[in-house]
Amino acid sequence: MVDLKQLAYERKNIMAFLFIASFLKGAAMIGQALFFVWIADGVFLKNASFEEVLPYLYGLFGAILLRVACGYAIGRSGVNLAAEVKMDLRKKLIASFASNPLQASIQGQSGQKVSLLLDAVDELDGYFSKYIPQMVQSYIIPILLLAVIFSQHWVTGVIILITAPFIPVFMALVGIKTKEKADQQMEKLGQFSGTFLDVLQGLTTLKLFNQADRQKQTIQKSSLDFRDATMEVLKSAFLSSLMLEYISMLSMGIIALEIGLRLVVFDSLTFFTAFFVMILVPDFFNMLKDFGSAFHTGKGSTAAANRLSAHLEKETPAVEWGAGTLSNDPPHLLLQDLTFQYGESFKLGPINTEILPYSQFAIIGKSGSGKTTLLHAIAGLLPLSSGAVRVNGISREQIDEKSWFDQLSYISQSPYLFAGTIKENIAIGAGREAADDEIWEAAAKAGIGEMVGSLKHGLDTQIGEAGRGLSGGEKQRIALARAFLKQPSIVLFDEPTTGLDLQTEKILQQSIAELGKQATVITVAHRLHTIKQSDAILILSEGQLAAAGSHNDLLETYAPYGVMLEIQHGGIVQ
Amino acid sequence: MTELKQTLLLTLREKRDVALAIFFGFLAGIAGAALMASSGYLISKAALTSQMTILIVMGACLKLFGLVSALSRYAERLFSHRATFTMLSNLRVSFFEKLSPLAPGIFQKYRSGDLLARIVGDVENLQNFLLRVFYPPVVLAIVFISTIFFTSYFSFAIAMVVLVGMLLTIVAVPAIFAWRQRRIDSAVRASRAELSTEATEFLYGFRDLKIYQQLDRKKQDLTTFSERYGEQQRKEGFEENLGQSVNAFVALLASFFVLGLGAYFVAEGQLDGLYLAMLVMISLAVFENVAPMAVFPAHFEENRKAAARLDQVVSEPVQAAGDAELPLNTLDIKLENVSYTYPEEERQAIEGVSLRLAPGSKTAIVGPSGSGKSTLLQLLLNILPADSGTISIGGEPLAALDPEKLWQRMNVVLQENHFFFGTIRSNLLIANEAATDEEMEAALAKVQLGPFSLSSKVNEKGENLSGGEKQRLAIARAILRGESLWLLDEPVSSVDSVTAKAIYRQLFERGKDDTFVIISHDLTGLEQMDQIIVMERGRIVEAGPYEEIMEKQGHFFKLKQIEKSIFA
Ligand SMILES: Nc1ncnc2c1ncn2[C@@H]1O[C@H](COP(=O)(O)OP(=O)(O)OP(=O)(O)O)[C@@H](O)[C@H]1O
Ligand SMILES: Nc1ncnc2c1ncn2[C@@H]1O[C@H](COP(=O)(O)OP(=O)(O)OP(=O)(O)O)[C@@H](O)[C@H]1O
Ligand SMILES: [Mg+2]
Ligand SMILES: [Mg+2]
């Protein structure tokens, strides 16, 4: 639970400072009122000359200066407090994004998560920069003022004591309703950002399907919904300040009447006391009013804090790691009763198989049969439901994460190109600084060297978002080059040659074969000719192991394999 | 200020709410001042006389002014906020309207996280335009001018003090701070966009970052950006706080001078002491209202920048679109000597391509990766405009057609397709809003996605579907379109051959008379096509039916030889 108040009190120095500054500010306010009254009383009733009141004017100036200085210091501390808490929370959020397991990372909308990081955290600002300083001030200043008022004219004090408690009661009443509405509003804001990013990404698709207009209406609707949700929150905030205003006005009216009565009828009060009290009372209520509006800002922050808590506390099964290390030699891999299930849906396994060091291992099967899932499980991206991946006899869970990934290259089915240069995008595979000629070599092995060479800026061409566009096959080859840069001992390829012509595919086959001299290569493929030479081929069907063996074994023992091969060679466009 | 013109126009569209907000704002300010003034006056008066009527008048005045002030404040807030949020919604829509024609080219200029920050953050920022920039000075000026008139009746000099105070607090101080703001260039919006951009990419590229163990490094980067944003915000907060304090100081100073001057005049006998308390109270009350002006400079600058940043995105030149309708009969497509070069590229991506797609014909486009196949398809779709040459559909030049009408007549599968967060159903309905559940289920069955239920969840970008399932879902979408012109860009490249074959059979059986254009790297089975187009480096190097181009022993023949050697 993100407890905002606690976050504030954790920063003791700032809080202590706030208390001291508030005390001084209260004193300055009293001083200011006092000087005001002395001067007015002096020239109005006591017929003092201007020279006589001049010292009071200096005093007044001093009081004003002190008041403003304290206000400035309080405001500055509030800003500091807010900035620190926000930076802290953002750090936590980023850490939680980073430590997410893969499965959790694809849940929800990215836009919503970005909105959490930006909007929800910013929403907390008001709590620390406005509410907390105001709260501290309203602990101290009203009490100071009240004490002075009591000392001057106790009846006024009593009237305030009777009327003021209505304020927190009203605020609490309105506040409870606000909270609900603020929660709704926060949720709507998150939804809005989430949808928006999704729409942006799919704008071309939407246009092609003539949905751009409808989308416009959706945006309008969700934006008006958001307006209404916000107005609901604001309305109650406004209502509560109306109530505050009304109560304070009522109270001031009674006080004025009482003072007037004494002044006019009983003559039992001096102008000095009356005027003094009349200046202090509005100050008193202004403090409460300020607190009231800060209170509402604070309530809005609480809704945002809840959204943050919900995210930070979400439990997801994580992939476990240990401390063992791997050598540079390809390990012996053994899948023992490996199973994995996506929530309640698709179930993979149990799968038992052995992958020998330096072997070429292939996984084939119909689309949706679980090939990618199996690669993810082997790579340690998904937590197994049961069973184990044994690496040189020990469970993968006992191996150090870094050591494991240092030995592994995985080119996934839809690799992501980052906004940056081609060089950066290839070098990311090595996880270290790479020299240009190494990168050129990797690019050549992936069959993209020539194309990159023909570009004006060569390796320094910007690609990815906000960069030069590439053809489908070119993107694929840039990603493939990542694998050739590193010297891993296990390589996982998920359909490496999708979208490539046969000529390019041939180049790649050679490079992959070369890679296989120092590594175990596990390939998922639809184009069966690319994996014919494999030492072992695994056939998956609806998540189950249907058959395994070499190309020739399978031809003999597993009839569907022959059919698959035939269809592929006989052509599919029929 | 020109940057904010559009925002101002959109704001003024909410005429009624804006006018009401200004009216009630004025009323609240004036009633507040009147309340304080009357209490000051009446206390002084009461100190001198002992008439009961004073008390009665006092009670009545306090009640009346207090009530008016409180209610007006409430109304003012309600109207101003409503106007603001309606304006925001209009702004979002108008921004989207302008953005939509810019896709897909816009993504080569901007990163999506940046666009998100702009459209959510910057637009959000403009909500302060009415509330904190446009109307506080207006309301304050009216309140002050009325007050000055009133005070000048008692003392001209004091009225001048109020005037000077007003000029300082609502003109001079904000102007100085606005100037400072511009100079120190608190780049809050920019650093926010930076953070948004990086965070978005972090989330999108998560899997690859994890595999390459770059999560830690990127996390560091992201934290740095977040800290930079935090520091900018802190700087902005300090500046705002300083502005607030200076403003408060000037306001108190004004009351100080009112009192000092008043005391002097009273002592000198130039002003009746009876009014002194009243004048002081008035100045305390009106200057209490200037607090909002303290945040004016920051908001003004930020608004200006936000509006400029928004404008920058949508001011890209838009490809001119025609509005002609497509003829209803079958569509004959002709390309003549078409060339295209991507912006900022030297090499032509498509070079002098001529081609005819007769109604009902089946065409395959083959060629190495990067030879311009997808580009050609995008030219046909009028997503990219040809630099030279003509493309005509059904006799109409493409450029004269309304693109929406054009797309309505095609079943398209692009090389990369987007899937939205939602369900299978919501993703299919995009293609055909009127499709019934039965039709959708039939389309799913045709692409062998039968086991999926329509209400199965689809994650953002279809991340919870397998590669082949995504492609098949895209084909199902095209099937639901139900038109007779098919443009398919490597539609089954990630689908196994058994499934792919079954899907093609379905398509061709149903669309015997339909026109098909299929881009593929698979050279098998092309015997069935009416026309095979071989592309290389942006040119068509060979075209014709299978037998014919095999006989030539040219490019296609060579490709087939490679295939043979691989399959052997
Ligand atoms: N993140 C996920 N959450 C839930 N279900 C998933 C997820 N990813 C994949 N699936 C489902 O699991 C099944 C297997 O998917 P997988 O990606 O492993 O298939 P595949 O064999 O690689 O197929 P293809 O050849 O089409 O890439 C599919 O039915 C798919 O819908
Ligand atoms: N947005 C772009 N900006 C600049 N150049 C581009 C852009 N998109 C593609 N290109 C270039 O234009 C050429 C043709 O690309 P296109 O996408 O048409 O190839 P393709 O034949 O479809 O290839 P593939 O089979 O790999 O999909 C390529 O050299 C590519 O690098
Ligand atoms: Mg897959
Ligand atoms: Mg292409």
Side-chain angles (χ1 to χ4, degrees):
Chain A
M1 187 66 206
V2 178
D3 185 351
L4 296 178
K5 205 169 223 159
Q6 195 186 332
L7 285 178
Y9 276 104
E10 271 166 17
R11 286 157 181 82
K12 290 200 185 68
N13 289 346
I14 296 184
M15 291 307 287
F17 184 78
L18 278 178
F19 273 97
I20 296 170
S22 301
F23 187 81
L24 285 176
K25 185 179 171 187
M29 283 166 78
I30 294 168
Q32 183 195 331
L34 208 55
F35 287 117
F36 257 124
V37 179
W38 264 328
I39 295 164
D41 188 43
V43 294
F44 172 41
L45 290 178
K46 305 228 166 72
N47 292 322
S49 71
F50 187 66
E51 281 70 33
E52 280 173 290
V53 296
L54 207 55
Y56 294 130
L57 272 172
Y58 295 141
L60 177 59
F61 187 75
I64 288 176
L65 218 53
L66 183 62
R67 179 178 178 169
V68 171
C70 290
Y72 175 73
I74 291 173
R76 206 177 150 95
S77 309
V79 171
N80 271 328
L81 189 63
E84 276 169 31
V85 173
K86 284 194 301 182
M87 280 194 257
D88 236 37
L89 272 174
R90 287 220 168 88
K91 212 164 164 180
K92 277 206 193 113
L93 267 180
I94 292 170
S96 102
F97 288 160
S99 66
N100 252 352
L102 187 68
Q103 195 42 25
S105 79
I106 63 165
Q107 240 117 66
Q109 292 165 293
S110 303
Q112 231 170 40
K113 293 182 199 161
V114 175
S115 153
L116 203 61
L117 184 65
L118 294 173
D119 307 321
V121 175
D122 276 344
E123 200 68 24
L124 300 185
D125 190 291
Y127 190 88
F128 298 100
S129 68
K130 302 266 155 24
Y131 175 70
I132 291 279
Q134 202 60 53
M135 184 192 76
V136 173
Q137 290 183 61
S138 56
Y139 279 164
I140 296 179
I141 301 178
I143 296 177
L144 279 182
L145 294 179
L146 203 59
V148 174
I149 291 171
F150 258 108
S151 75
Q152 292 296 314
H153 186 57
W154 64 270
V155 184
T156 308
V158 172
I159 297 175
I160 288 179
L161 274 188
I162 294 172
T163 49
F166 281 108
I167 291 175
V169 173
F170 265 111
M171 253 161 49
L173 274 180
V174 181
I176 292 165
K177 266 174 70 189
T178 318
K179 206 185 127 353
E180 251 165 55
K181 290 171 182 163
D183 284 342
Q184 277 171 14
Q185 183 212 12
M186 269 326 277
E187 201 187 307
K188 287 249 159 66
L189 179 65
Q191 272 170 7
F192 192 73
S193 307
T195 323
F196 209 91
L197 191 58
D198 207 6
V199 167
L200 270 180
Q201 292 280 325
L203 205 47
T204 312
T205 304
L206 285 174
K207 274 169 64 176
L208 281 181
F209 286 115
N210 306 76
Q211 292 288 312
D213 249 1
R214 248 178 60 121
Q215 204 52 49
K216 193 178 90 190
Q217 282 157 18
T218 316
I219 288 179
Q220 179 155 35
K221 188 177 169 307
S222 63
S223 147
L224 286 178
D225 275 357
F226 179 55
R227 172 193 77 175
D228 293 340
T230 313
M231 281 311 286
E232 282 300 311
V233 176
L234 289 175
K235 248 188 212 159
S236 45
F238 299 160
L239 195 67
S240 97
S241 59
L242 176 68
M243 289 322 294
L244 271 177
E245 204 120 0
Y246 190 71
I247 296 172
S248 56
M249 189 214 78
L250 220 63
S251 167
M252 279 195 277
I254 298 173
I255 291 167
L257 216 63
E258 193 269 338
I259 287 175
L261 214 64
R262 282 182 193 265
L263 271 178
V264 177
V265 184
F266 305 108
D267 262 336
S268 64
L269 205 63
T270 58
F271 170 74
F272 176 88
T273 315
F275 193 27
F276 188 43
V277 170
M278 281 313 287
I279 290 188
L280 285 184
V281 170
D283 268 345
F284 177 89
F285 282 107
N286 276 342
M287 281 315 290
L288 291 191
K289 271 192 273 182
D290 288 348
F291 179 68
S293 59
F295 177 80
H296 273 278
T297 319
K299 275 276 168 272
S301 303
T302 317
N306 290 342
R307 239 184 99 205
L308 287 172
S309 305
H311 179 87
L312 287 173
E313 281 152 24
K314 209 185 292 167
E315 293 277 334
T316 37
V319 180
E320 284 172 33
W321 297 98
T325 52
L326 282 183
S327 70
N328 283 339
D329 298 322
H332 174 274
L333 298 174
L334 188 67
L335 313 189
Q336 274 182 334
D337 288 328
L338 178 151
T339 60
F340 173 79
Q341 189 164 15
Y342 289 112
E344 300 285 284
S345 54
F346 180 82
K347 181 161 183 262
L348 174 75
I351 289 179
N352 284 293
T353 193
E354 187 181 14
I355 305 171
L356 296 173
Y358 299 105
S359 66
Q360 303 266 339
F361 192 85
I363 303 169
I364 62 174
K366 272 190 161 186
S367 163
S369 57
K371 305 180 292 297
T372 302
T373 310
L374 180 57
L375 275 197
H376 278 4
I378 295 175
L381 293 176
L382 294 173
L384 303 186
S385 307
S386 68
V389 176
R390 296 207 166 267
V391 185
N392 291 334
I394 59 167
S395 165
R396 199 227 60 232
E397 287 166 10
Q398 278 155 26
I399 294 172
D400 174 52
E401 182 173 8
K402 182 168 177 342
S403 167
W404 171 255
F405 279 111
D406 276 348
Q407 292 306 323
L408 185 96
S409 262
Y410 182 3
I411 305 302
S412 57
Q413 198 167 7
S414 44
Y416 187 80
L417 291 188
F418 294 89
T421 61
I422 292 180
K423 191 181 354 188
E424 288 162 358
N425 264 293
I426 295 179
I428 197 174
R432 61 180 160 87
E433 289 289 313
D436 273 13
D437 45 350
E438 275 183 284
I439 292 180
W440 277 117
E441 199 186 327
K445 282 183 184 163
I448 188 80
E450 199 184 323
M451 185 265 165
V452 175
S454 77
L455 295 173
K456 200 170 18 175
H457 301 291
L459 283 180
D460 294 319
T461 309
Q462 287 282 335
I463 55 170
E465 280 190 329
R468 180 193 191 271
L470 295 171
S471 89
E474 286 162 356
K475 285 182 198 162
Q476 178 73 8
R477 284 177 280 163
I478 300 266
L480 282 168
R482 293 170 176 169
F484 297 118
L485 190 61
K486 193 166 163 178
Q487 299 287 330
S489 58
I490 311 166
V491 195
L492 309 180
F493 282 122
D494 199 347
E495 306 206 26
T497 59
T498 341
L500 298 183
D501 53 290
L502 296 171
Q503 185 90 44
T504 318
E505 189 178 84
K506 243 170 104 174
I507 301 175
L508 263 166
Q509 287 293 111
Q510 275 165 14
S511 312
I512 293 177
E514 204 179 306
L515 205 60
K517 284 186 194 147
Q518 292 135 28
T520 306
V521 181
I522 306 175
T523 314
V524 168
H526 281 312
R527 292 177 168 183
L528 300 182
H529 57 265
T530 60
I531 48 106
K532 243 182 347 200
Q533 315 297 339
S534 300
D535 301 307
I537 300 171
L538 202 79
I539 303 185
L540 286 183
S541 173
E542 297 181 6
Q544 304 297 316
L545 187 66
S550 71
H551 174 69
N552 289 330
D553 290 347
L554 287 173
L555 272 184
E556 274 174 31
T557 57
Y558 189 66
Y561 181 69
V563 177
M564 282 157 83
L565 214 58
E566 205 168 293
I567 287 179
Q568 187 142 70
H569 291 182
I572 49 178
V573 183
Q574 281 177 356
Chain B
M1 203 56 195
T2 46
E3 297 94 337
L4 287 170
K5 210 173 105 194
Q6 160 84 358
T7 318
L8 185 65
L9 286 178
L10 280 173
T11 308
L12 292 182
R13 227 198 266 173
E14 305 309 311
K15 275 194 237 45
R16 208 180 73 95
D17 281 354
V18 173
L20 283 172
I22 291 181
F23 172 72
F24 282 113
F26 165 70
L27 209 59
I30 262 318
L35 174 74
M36 295 281 270
S38 53
S39 67
Y41 174 74
L42 290 166
I43 291 183
S44 308
K45 188 87 185 160
L48 293 182
T49 70
S50 43
Q51 291 172 325
M52 267 308 278
T53 43
I54 291 295
L55 266 184
I56 295 164
V57 173
M58 180 152 136
C61 280
L62 288 179
K63 278 229 168 57
L64 177 68
F65 291 138
L67 199 63
V68 169
S69 161
L71 283 175
S72 309
R73 193 63 78 197
Y74 178 75
E76 173 213 0
R77 288 175 174 159
L78 217 55
F79 288 120
S80 61
H81 281 81
R82 201 173 66 185
T84 292
F85 289 115
T86 316
M87 184 279 276
L88 277 190
S89 146
N90 291 340
L91 192 66
R92 284 200 187 100
V93 173
S94 97
F95 188 71
F96 180 77
E97 250 172 359
K98 289 184 195 155
L99 188 71
S100 148
L102 299 174
I106 190 89
F107 296 108
Q108 267 171 264
K109 289 235 166 65
Y110 298 96
R111 291 165 67 181
S112 44
D114 186 17
L115 287 176
L116 176 73
R118 284 175 201 247
I119 206 146
V120 180
D122 286 354
V123 169
E124 205 68 14
N125 186 261
L126 288 176
Q127 81 177 35
N128 294 317
F129 178 69
L130 174 66
L131 294 177
R132 316 229 188 285
V133 173
F134 174 64
Y135 107 115
V138 174
V139 171
L140 277 176
I142 308 178
V143 170
F144 266 107
I145 289 167
S146 325
T147 314
I148 291 167
F149 262 113
F150 181 74
T151 40
S152 68
Y153 183 73
F154 299 95
S155 161
F156 183 72
I158 287 181
M160 284 303 109
V161 172
V162 177
L163 177 68
V164 171
M166 163 185 133
L167 290 177
L168 281 177
T169 47
I170 69 175
V171 182
V173 175
I176 291 171
F177 274 89
W179 177 77
R180 264 173 67 99
Q181 200 87 30
R182 201 174 290 196
R183 210 174 41 109
I184 57 173
D185 186 34
S186 93
V188 177
R189 288 294 126 193
S191 55
R192 183 190 156 93
E194 220 170 41
L195 180 60
S196 163
T197 312
E198 289 301 316
T200 308
E201 183 159 86
F202 183 85
L203 295 169
Y204 279 164
F206 186 82
R207 190 184 50 213
D208 288 59
L209 289 173
K210 180 144 189 115
I211 292 170
Y212 302 122
Q213 288 192 279
Q214 299 289 323
L215 275 177
D216 272 343
R217 197 177 57 82
K218 277 279 175 182
K219 191 175 96 183
Q220 283 304 325
D221 287 357
L222 210 53
T223 312
T224 314
F225 283 119
S226 136
E227 268 161 19
R228 195 178 303 166
Y229 177 44
E231 285 307 331
Q232 290 293 349
Q233 281 187 317
R234 192 204 298 258
K235 217 161 112 188
E236 182 192 48
F238 282 164
E239 192 66 14
E240 190 178 308
N241 183 45
L242 181 66
Q244 234 149 14
S245 303
V246 170
N247 218 308
F249 183 60
V250 174
L252 283 172
L253 222 51
S255 301
F256 170 79
F257 278 111
V258 168
L259 178 68
L261 215 58
Y264 177 74
F265 289 141
V266 173
E268 296 291 303
Q270 292 174 21
L271 177 70
D272 189 344
L274 188 58
Y275 303 125
L276 183 60
M278 177 187 78
L279 291 174
V280 172
M281 289 297 242
I282 286 181
S283 98
L284 280 177
V286 289
F287 281 104
E288 201 169 89
N289 288 326
V290 300
M293 283 312 290
V295 292
F296 171 91
H299 287 302
F300 176 67
E301 263 309 296
E302 283 293 335
N303 277 187
R304 229 172 42 85
K305 279 192 201 130
R309 282 160 44 84
L310 284 173
D311 267 351
Q312 189 193 359
V313 178
V314 292
S315 61
E316 307 280 331
V318 179
Q319 188 187 325
D323 54 4
E325 303 232 354
L326 277 180
L328 280 177
N329 51 1
T330 40
L331 303 170
D332 188 20
I333 301 176
K334 277 200 196 108
L335 280 79
E336 257 167 69
N337 209 11
V338 172
S339 296
Y340 179 75
T341 312
Y342 279 101
E344 288 165 49
E345 289 298 308
E346 282 159 5
R347 201 172 55 81
Q348 291 188 318
I350 293 292
E351 218 178 319
V353 165
S354 301
L355 167 77
R356 171 158 186 249
L357 306 170
S361 68
K362 319 273 183 279
T363 306
I365 304 180
V366 301
S369 160
S371 56
K373 305 180 295 294
S374 301
T375 309
L376 187 63
L377 191 80
Q378 297 195 47
L379 286 169
L380 270 178
L381 281 168
N382 202 13
I383 293 178
L384 298 174
D387 294 336
S388 63
T390 53
I391 306 176
S392 66
I393 291 195
E396 290 277 345
L398 200 59
L401 291 173
D402 178 351
E404 303 250 322
K405 297 268 160 50
L406 175 70
W407 297 329
Q408 243 163 34
R409 300 287 299 278
M410 299 173 166
N411 314 325
V412 186
V413 175
L414 296 178
Q415 199 165 4
E416 278 167 32
N417 300 284
H418 188 85
F419 302 95
F420 296 88
F421 183 85
T423 58
I424 298 269
R425 181 184 284 109
S426 68
N427 273 288
L428 287 176
L429 282 178
I430 286 175
N432 183 355
E433 286 163 39
T436 61
D437 279 6
E438 288 74 43
E439 284 168 327
M440 285 190 269
E441 271 156 9
L444 284 180
K446 277 184 192 143
V447 294
Q448 314 249 322
L449 284 179
F452 276 86
S453 99
L454 287 177
S455 44
S456 301
K457 271 176 72 175
V458 173
N459 278 2
E460 188 177 52
K461 295 187 170 190
E463 290 278 10
N464 61 339
L465 300 175
S466 85
E469 283 165 352
K470 276 190 263 188
Q471 285 193 331
R472 287 182 281 151
L473 190 58
I475 299 175
R477 250 185 341 207
I479 291 176
L480 278 174
R481 249 294 137 109
E483 293 295 328
S484 61
L485 175 57
W486 298 78
L487 300 177
L488 309 173
D489 193 349
E490 302 195 33
V492 288
S493 60
S494 297
V495 179
D496 62 288
S497 48
V498 179
T499 311
K501 180 183 172 179
I503 293 174
Y504 270 129
R505 194 188 298 128
Q506 287 278 359
L507 290 185
F508 287 131
E509 242 167 46
R510 182 180 161 279
K512 266 196 273 314
D513 306 320
D514 293 357
T515 314
F516 276 90
V517 179
I518 300 173
I519 296 177
S520 173
H521 284 299
D522 193 340
L523 303 182
T524 52
L526 296 185
E527 296 86 342
Q528 266 70 20
M529 307 301 278
D530 298 317
Q531 169 171 240
I532 297 168
I533 291 171
V534 186
M535 292 197 64
E536 225 163 80
R537 295 176 175 277
R539 293 172 168 278
I540 294 183
V541 288
E542 235 166 35
Y546 185 83
E547 303 294 327
E548 198 182 303
I549 55 172
M550 278 303 274
E551 265 163 37
K552 273 194 222 159
Q553 305 221 335
H555 297 267
F556 188 71
F557 180 77
K558 266 188 235 151
L559 289 175
K560 277 305 256 190
Q561 291 304 107
I562 297 175
E563 184 191 44
K564 219 155 114 191
S565 75
I566 288 171
F567 283 171

